[in-house]
């Protein structure tokens, strides 16, 4: 049997296993080892199974993952998230839809040190949703804004998704973080604009908040200082070469820990934060081990090269190929977790991107943005289900309807990035 055929069968089997609800990491590991054994042999497959976990778990670059997770967990446990939302609420004052804009702004700022969309969505829902409901906000608008705002965590640096893409494709982590800055801020601005447009079209969905004076607004900026301090320390340190992105993650985690301890974080809460970090990190690393194993199988089966040759024979332009890949990501995003989607597909599509001469950093940004869309699109928008878990009294359909205007906003942002790649590469 041809190696390309074995590769195609393996990828088909991977989809079947995931449909059967086998954990994604385990599915990748089984297909990777089984497929590798069919192409190279069982002895080589067993040898790979022994070496890959050691390679992944001892990879210095991957040590940034638990540090970014720890930052977000500490920020949630120390009360930083609550102070952040209260500051944003005061700044937005009496704006129509101001609480929803404050929630989106809080999500964007929180994600700047969290790096995780799911962590951002769950934390900010606990903080902001009761306040919006208390002021009479329509539940669809409130939960939709939080679900969309949570997706900013996957783009605004430091981002775990951008970090994983950079490592899988051997790109500079610093370049990926800087490339994600403008698209991430665009998302923040577009979401706020979306709330304003919705308020103009359906003013009954929310009422104006309590007006606040300039003195109150300035005084409330204190709640934003810890986030901006940690963010600037990391981003400027990485940008000017003071430390590597991995070291930056450690510096950020340490700074967040110092703030949490200064605000009275108790030993029991610290231990709970460490346990949560370990659990989340274990899930991510298991996925990375499975992805590395699957990547070896895809490489030896040469299926990605076969796909490249087919595309060359079809004489499609690179832009059309990119659109086809993004369409695949959009469909997969309706059913899969964002990190799982990246670690499964990047080893397949990246050789195609390289062969077409497409900028890998720009492609990484538009890929992560399309994956971000999957977090809020039905039937399995992960952020929507996180919001549902945090607010069981809100119907799932109601959340999806509330998030739909923000999906339109994301499509507009994606179109701008496709038309003007400089938006992602300006700081490189």
């Amino acid at each position: 049997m041809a190696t390309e055929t074995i590769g195609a069968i393996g990828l088909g089997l991977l989809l079947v296993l995931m449909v059967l609800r086998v954990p994604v990491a385990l599915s990748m590991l089984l297909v990777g080892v089984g497929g590798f054994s069919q192409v190279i042999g069982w002895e080589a497959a067993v040898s790979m199974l022994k070496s890959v976990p050691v390679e992944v778990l001892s990879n210095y670059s991957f040590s940034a993952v638990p540090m970014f997770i720890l930052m977000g967990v500490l920020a949630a446990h120390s009360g930083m998230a609550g102070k952040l939302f209260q500051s944003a609420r005061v700044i937005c004052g009496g704006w129509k839809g101001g609480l929803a804009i404050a929630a989106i702004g809080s999500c964007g700022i929180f994600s700047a040190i969290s790096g995780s969309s799911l962590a951002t969505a769950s934390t900010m829902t606990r903080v902001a949703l009761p306040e919006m409901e208390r002021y009479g906000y329509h539940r669809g608008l409130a939960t939709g804004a939080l679900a969309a705002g949570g997706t900013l965590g996957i783009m605004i640096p430091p981002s775990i998704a951008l970090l994983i893409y950079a490592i899988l494709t051997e790109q500079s982590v610093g370049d990926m973080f800087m490339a994600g800055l403008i698209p991430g801020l665009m998302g923040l601005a577009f979401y706020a604009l979306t709330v304003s447009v919705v308020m103009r079209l359906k003013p009954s969905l929310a009422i104006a908040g309590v007006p606040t004076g300039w003195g109150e607004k300035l005084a409330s900026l204190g709640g934003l200082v810890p986030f901006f301090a940690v963010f600037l320390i990391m981003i400027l340190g990485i940008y000017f070469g003071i430390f590597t992105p991995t070291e930056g993650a450690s510096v950020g985690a340490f700074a967040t820990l110092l703030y949490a301890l200064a605000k009275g974080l108790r030993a029991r809460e610290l231990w709970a934060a460490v346990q949560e970090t370990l659990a989340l990190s274990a899930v991510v690393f298991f996925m990375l081990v499975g992805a590395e194993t699957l990547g070896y199988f895809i490489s030896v089966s040469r299926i990605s090269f076969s796909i490249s040759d087919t595309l060359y024979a079809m004489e499609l332009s690179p832009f059309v190929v990119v659109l086809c890949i993004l369409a695949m990501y959009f469909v997969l995003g309706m059913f899969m977790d964002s990190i799982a989607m990246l670690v499964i597909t990047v080893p397949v599509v990246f050789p195609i991107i390289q062969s077409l001469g497409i900028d890998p950093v720009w492609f990484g940004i538009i890929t992560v943005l399309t994956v971000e869309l999957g977090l809020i699109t039905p039937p399995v928008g992960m952020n929507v289900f996180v919001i549902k878990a945090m607010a069981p009294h809100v119907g799932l359909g109601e959340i999806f309807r509330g998030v739909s205007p923000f999906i339109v906003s994301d499509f507009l942002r994606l179109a701008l990035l496709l038309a003007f790649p400089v938006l992602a590469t300006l700081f490189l």
Side-chain angles (χ1 to χ4, degrees):
M1 187 183 297
T3 58
E4 292 87 351
T5 304
I6 296 174
I9 292 173
L11 292 179
L13 181 59
L14 178 66
L15 293 175
V16 170
L17 290 174
M18 289 190 295
V19 168
L20 295 175
R21 297 301 184 97
V22 177
V24 173
L26 182 58
S27 299
M28 290 189 291
L29 192 64
L30 291 174
V31 171
V33 173
F36 195 88
S37 69
Q38 296 303 306
V39 177
I40 305 297
W42 273 109
E43 186 174 342
V46 172
S47 177
M48 178 188 67
L49 188 59
K50 291 189 293 184
S51 62
V52 166
V54 176
E55 290 175 9
V56 172
L57 296 176
S58 62
N59 189 327
Y60 175 69
S61 299
F62 282 137
S63 62
V65 172
M67 292 296 100
F68 288 140
I69 294 174
L70 180 61
M71 272 192 288
V73 173
L74 284 173
H77 281 265
S78 64
M80 287 174 67
K83 292 184 176 64
L84 170 64
F85 176 70
Q86 290 305 320
S87 297
R89 183 185 64 79
V90 173
I91 291 171
C92 292
W95 300 352
K96 188 76 171 178
L99 280 180
I101 296 175
I104 290 170
S106 300
C107 287
I109 297 170
F110 184 85
S111 68
I113 68 168
S114 167
S116 168
S117 292
L118 300 183
T120 300
S122 61
T123 301
M124 296 314 303
T125 298
R126 284 195 295 265
V127 171
L129 184 59
E131 191 80 359
M132 284 194 278
E133 289 183 323
R134 188 165 68 87
Y135 276 88
Y137 271 62
H138 187 274
R139 294 186 303 188
L141 172 64
T143 53
L146 288 166
T151 64
L152 296 170
I154 204 172
M155 182 64 73
I156 294 179
S159 159
I160 294 174
L162 291 177
L163 172 69
I164 290 174
Y165 174 87
I167 295 172
L168 290 176
T169 58
E170 299 182 349
Q171 302 301 307
S172 164
V173 176
D175 284 351
M176 292 304 305
F177 281 178
M178 297 312 299
L181 191 57
I182 291 178
L185 294 176
M186 284 174 60
L188 186 59
F190 278 28
Y191 286 166
L193 184 61
T194 299
V195 172
S196 299
V197 172
V198 170
M199 286 294 92
R200 185 172 292 274
L201 296 176
K202 294 184 177 180
S204 61
L205 295 181
I207 60 173
V210 179
T212 54
W214 284 106
E216 292 177 273
K217 295 180 190 294
L218 291 173
S220 70
L221 292 177
L224 309 182
V225 170
F227 288 90
F228 281 114
V230 173
F231 176 74
L232 290 175
I233 288 171
M234 286 191 298
I235 294 301
L236 294 180
I238 293 171
Y239 186 73
F240 289 108
I242 300 173
F243 38 69
T244 67
T246 305
E247 293 166 346
S250 301
V251 170
F254 183 67
T256 308
L257 175 62
L258 289 181
Y259 176 85
L261 292 174
K263 290 298 180 180
L265 185 72
R266 292 172 293 184
R268 183 176 60 187
E269 295 169 330
L270 178 60
W271 177 237
V274 170
Q275 287 180 308
E276 188 175 341
T277 300
L278 289 173
L280 293 172
S281 299
V283 172
V284 173
F285 275 102
F286 191 15
M287 282 192 184
L288 292 173
V289 170
E292 191 79 5
T293 306
L294 182 68
Y296 276 112
F297 165 50
I298 290 171
S299 178
V300 298
S301 71
R302 299 187 60 81
I303 187 171
S304 56
F305 298 103
S306 178
I307 295 173
S308 298
D309 293 340
T310 302
L311 292 173
Y312 272 122
M314 296 172 65
E315 298 184 349
L316 298 175
S317 70
F319 187 75
V320 173
V321 173
V322 168
L323 289 180
C324 292
I325 293 173
L326 294 183
M328 176 198 71
Y329 275 117
F330 181 70
V331 173
L332 288 177
M334 296 180 181
F335 304 96
M336 294 178 61
D337 172 66
S338 56
I339 300 298
M341 204 188 330
L342 285 175
V343 297
I344 289 173
T345 57
V346 166
V348 179
V349 302
F350 190 68
I352 301 171
I353 295 303
Q354 284 183 306
S355 68
L356 294 173
I358 295 169
D359 186 339
V361 174
W362 171 73
F363 177 75
I365 295 300
I366 60 174
T367 294
V368 169
L369 177 53
T370 309
V371 167
E372 180 182 302
L373 261 169
L375 291 171
I376 53 177
T377 50
V380 188
M382 294 297 291
N383 269 23
V384 173
F385 280 90
V386 168
I387 302 291
K388 173 64 177 173
M390 296 292 104
H393 61 286
V394 184
L396 202 58
E398 198 170 12
I399 303 175
F400 276 122
R401 285 192 295 273
V403 84
S404 56
F406 300 97
I407 296 176
V408 175
S409 170
D410 271 342
F411 273 118
L412 177 59
R413 181 164 47 130
L414 180 59
L416 288 174
L417 285 168
L418 287 169
F420 305 103
V422 69
L423 292 172
T425 59
L426 182 62
F427 293 127
L428 304 185

